[in-house]
Amino acid sequence: MQFGPGFLPTFLYYFTTAGVLVALVASRGMGFSLNSGMPGRLGLMGGVVAGLLGAYFNRTTTVDVQFQGQKKFLAELETTLAAMGYQLAAQEEDLRIYERSNLSKWLSGKLYVQLEQNHATIASRAGTLRRLRKQI
């Protein structure tokens, strides 16, 4: 099951956004003419850096976790997620969706847990899953 954008869409989003912003700032703030080519080159470099960083931290990744008892696993997972600021936002049959509260939910994204028998797939932003993997 696909939960969100992978590396390429995330890279393209950050690349284009940062590239345009850097080019505009370079042309307006630094006094370069858009026809000179310098804002475009600076925008390209800024876009590549922002695209790589954005894709590294914010692309959607998954981690598979094996467990013995579902209730024990969920209790441990919810305790860990609560310490990270996440709480259960929605629940369907075998899918649980966690998110942070207040303003931070708009900046951190959601965390999805797909439960199967003795197995769970957790999907979220790469940075969030790196922190979670260290704790579970």
Side-chain angles (χ1 to χ4, degrees), residues 73-83 86 88 96 98:
F73 168 74
L74 285 175
E76 180 181 316
L77 179 67
E78 289 189 2
T79 302
T80 303
L81 291 177
Y86 284 87
L88 186 63
R96 293 170 161 256
Y98 295 87

Side-chain angles (χ1 to χ4, degrees), residues 3-24:
F3 288 102
F7 183 87
L8 185 61
T10 306
F11 173 83
L12 290 174
Y13 171 77
Y14 284 97
F15 172 77
T16 55
T17 304
V20 168
L21 289 175
V22 168
L24 289 175

